[in-house]
Amino acid sequence: MAQDTLTITDNRTNQTYTIPIEKGAVRAMDFRKIKTDPEDFGLMTYDPAFMNTASCRSSITFIDGERGILRYRGYPIEVLAEHCSFLEVAYLLLFGELPNEAELQDWVYEITHHTMLHETTKKFMEGFRYNAHPMAMLVSTVAALSTVYPQARDIRDPKNRLLQIKRLIAKMPSIAAMSYRHSLGFPYVYPDNDLSYTENFMNMLWRIVEPKYVATPALARALDVLFILHADHEQNCSANTMRSVGSAHTDPYLTTAAAAAALAGPLHGGANEEVLKMLDEIGSMENVSAYVKRAKEGHGKLMGFGHRVYKNYDPRAKIIKRTAEQVFEVTGRNPKLDIALELERIVLDDEYFIKRKLYPNVDFYSGIIYQAMGFRPEMFTVLFAIPRTVGWLAQWQEMLNDPEQKIARPRQVWTGHEVRQFIPLAKRTTAAPLP
Ligand SMILES: CC(C)(COP(=O)(O)OP(=O)(O)OC[C@H]1O[C@@H](n2cnc3c(N)ncnc32)[C@H](O)[C@@H]1OP(=O)(O)O)[C@@H](O)C(=O)NCCC(=O)NCCS
């Protein structure tokens, strides 16, 4: 018998089945042949929240959570964060290889020349309430781009797809900046093609009356590094949404809006905002020990610690911690950093957290940097969505090009009634109480 197989005995029938194991996985469809009789539907696997189900084969992002490893297309995240620009990494994620100089120049040119928003999109955004949350504005506006580019519906044509990919990557910062300025009541700033991706974003966010906005290089680089770190993270909730909605052949604007909606949830992209609230609540270094003690006693979790996949130091958190120091050299030290460092020191030395493998995650330090740079907490998830758009689009392309993929359609384990006798309205005696 081949070694890479799994033998299962069905104790209901005493039948034995052998199914192949490939890359550490068995195919759920192989279980369907396990039946009690020919009429039986066959065995299903039940996996709420996809705790142990691979939904695709992928060659984009690799994570080894036990060892704290994150790689894009085989390159360690630390190397990319040190040597590349965000758009260089975007190219790598989307096309599988790092660009050479000429390819990068073309790519940057293309993205730069798609950053403008149609005036109707601007008008659309002006219609939001003065206090609209920037993330809700971003989600709705990305969906609205579908009305501006109806040809995007032809998702089978690779050239057409690439055009929409460029537009989405280019327009995300423009939409994000407009949503920010709208919430402040400031006039919108148009993109400046002389500037890099992050410098231009900063220009659209913060330019007031100066004829030319000049970003502080250290801050522009820090934002670029943060964008690299957030660009993809394999099959997380929003990537899964992107693949699932995209599998219905929905256009990329509506699909990306759906993924961004998933990211907007506090369990996904919103945790960095919670970290800031927690650090405010702790207030000073002397209170850290007592706060940790309360968390251990079950009174709330320490935000920014723990991860479903990483059971080691999140490699992105290490880079962010270094980046924080570079940002603070320009902005001045955010006093919350000292509280954060003390919290990390105590946690990493505490039996409770060591036993549960709870380490700082990407959200622990990112909020502190964003705040020092002048962002309000409502913008944090928007700052996550800009670079993650690249990851979503890479996952979307991979899904569309995968001959094994079809429309995503999970099964269910039925727990409801068998067929019931209908009772006419006048004869019903008991009603289900209104919730
Ligand atoms: C990220 C997170 C949702 C992962 O959850 P998970 O993989 O389902 O892990 P669990 O919730 O089962 O946690 C396992 C154990 O560690 C504890 N734990 C997990 N995260 C903790 C935290 N941040 N603070 C204190 N205890 C924590 C749990 O209470 C549990 O303890 P128990 O075994 O005594 O019951 C969780 O760690 C968390 O809520 N962290 C804080 C929020 C956050 O930073 N999110 C951003 C993620 S990038």
Side-chain angles (χ1 to χ4, degrees):
M1 191 182 298
Q3 252 188 346
D4 288 338
T5 57
L6 175 72
T7 301
I8 310 149
T9 304
D10 184 347
N11 294 324
R12 298 169 303 174
T13 58
N14 268 332
Q15 276 223 49
T16 297
Y17 303 82
T18 299
I19 58 175
I21 301 175
E22 225 183 301
K23 287 192 175 280
V26 291
R27 282 180 182 264
M29 276 305 282
D30 282 343
F31 286 78
R32 280 279 278 282
K33 60 184 177 210
I34 304 178
K35 298 178 179 211
T36 48
D37 60 67
E39 297 302 305
D40 186 6
F41 180 76
L43 211 57
M44 290 190 294
T45 53
Y46 174 60
D47 188 11
F50 299 120
M51 294 289 286
N52 194 34
T53 293
S55 64
C56 62
R57 290 157 175 266
S58 185
S59 61
I60 302 170
T61 294
F62 173 82
I63 301 174
D64 180 336
E66 290 298 324
R67 293 193 290 154
I69 291 175
L70 170 62
R71 295 183 200 133
Y72 296 159
R73 302 282 189 187
Y75 294 101
I77 191 70
E78 296 80 2
V79 176
L80 296 172
E82 192 174 340
H83 299 286
C84 294
S85 67
F86 168 66
L87 284 186
E88 208 176 336
V89 171
Y91 188 102
L92 170 72
L93 283 167
L94 284 159
F95 309 115
E97 297 297 337
L98 282 166
N100 64 25
E101 258 180 63
E103 286 163 340
L104 181 61
Q105 225 175 4
D106 279 359
W107 175 241
V108 171
Y109 180 91
E110 286 289 313
I111 299 297
T112 307
H113 288 80
H114 281 293
T115 46
M116 282 284 282
L117 293 174
H118 197 281
E119 283 299 294
T120 55
T121 306
K122 194 177 138 204
K123 288 212 177 76
F124 175 86
M125 292 191 79
E126 281 164 359
F128 285 112
R129 280 195 71 184
Y130 66 97
N131 60 352
H133 194 286
M135 193 58 190
M137 287 175 74
L138 180 107
V139 170
S140 320
T141 309
V142 172
L145 291 182
S146 168
T147 65
V148 184
Y149 306 109
Q151 70 277 28
R153 264 175 263 162
D154 182 8
I155 54 100
R156 281 280 146 217
D157 173 10
K159 256 173 110 184
N160 185 29
R161 244 175 16 222
L162 181 58
L163 174 60
Q164 315 314 325
I165 286 174
K166 287 175 190 166
R167 281 180 174 148
L168 268 161
I169 296 170
K171 291 180 204 308
M172 256 336 191
S174 311
I175 298 173
M178 278 197 184
S179 68
Y180 173 71
R181 294 188 69 109
H182 181 86
S183 64
L184 294 177
F186 285 4
Y188 301 159
V189 173
Y190 287 100
D192 179 342
N193 286 355
D194 293 341
L195 303 176
S196 75
Y197 191 78
T198 32
E199 284 169 344
N200 178 44
F201 179 44
M202 293 163 85
N203 160 61
M204 292 187 290
L205 285 166
W206 292 316
R207 187 171 148 212
I208 303 290
V209 290
E210 61 275 40
K212 185 101 184 156
Y213 179 84
V214 182
T216 309
L219 298 188
R221 178 61 193 154
L223 203 53
D224 218 47
V225 169
L226 284 159
F227 281 3
I228 292 172
L229 301 182
H230 286 89
D232 194 43
H233 212 229
E234 55 121 302
Q235 306 311 314
N236 53 77
C237 179
S238 58
N240 182 57
T241 305
M242 187 80 190
R243 282 177 172 266
S244 186
V245 175
S247 76
H249 291 184
T250 306
D251 81 50
Y253 298 102
L254 296 177
T255 309
T256 302
L263 186 76
L267 294 187
H268 190 1
N272 47 16
E273 207 174 320
E274 298 303 316
V275 173
L276 278 202
K277 280 189 208 149
M278 175 186 75
L279 295 176
D280 276 340
E281 211 181 309
I282 296 175
S284 72
M285 302 246 297
E286 306 81 72
N287 300 336
V288 175
S289 283
Y291 198 90
V292 173
K293 188 164 170 273
R294 277 184 47 216
K296 288 194 313 190
E297 288 164 358
H299 304 297
K301 280 183 174 172
L302 293 184
M303 286 298 144
F305 284 85
H307 198 275
R308 173 62 61 77
V309 180
Y310 292 117
K311 300 301 169 198
N312 201 323
Y313 210 106
D314 183 334
R316 300 168 301 173
K318 269 189 208 155
I319 302 168
I320 291 188
K321 200 172 157 187
R322 275 204 307 274
T323 309
E325 297 292 354
Q326 289 152 12
V327 167
F328 297 152
E329 272 175 30
V330 178
T331 62
R333 200 174 169 85
N334 185 339
K336 291 196 183 89
L337 181 69
D338 294 320
I339 302 174
L341 287 170
E342 177 67 358
L343 185 59
E344 181 188 321
R345 191 188 63 76
I346 291 178
V347 164
L348 293 185
D349 204 33
D350 189 302
E351 196 48 40
Y352 174 96
F353 296 93
I354 295 171
K355 208 171 111 200
R356 290 169 179 77
K357 299 186 177 175
L358 299 170
Y359 293 86
N361 60 46
V362 70
D363 296 311
F364 189 56
Y365 288 107
S366 62
I368 306 175
I369 303 188
Y370 289 145
Q371 194 180 49
M373 287 174 90
F375 289 106
R376 291 184 310 170
E378 303 90 86
M379 276 300 282
F380 292 175
T381 319
V382 171
L383 292 166
F384 194 156
I386 296 171
R388 185 54 63 85
T389 299
V390 168
W392 292 330
L393 291 165
Q395 300 283 346
W396 175 68
Q397 283 259 75
E398 190 177 62
M399 181 272 302
L400 289 175
N401 287 326
D402 183 346
E404 277 203 306
Q405 292 290 344
K406 294 166 183 261
I407 186 164
R409 204 323 185 165
R411 294 272 170 186
Q412 64 176 9
V413 175
W414 172 248
T415 59
H417 292 279
E418 290 301 323
V419 65
R420 302 170 82 185
Q421 189 79 43
F422 178 76
I423 305 167
L425 185 58
K427 294 204 172 152
R428 285 176 220 158
T429 49
T430 53
L434 282 175

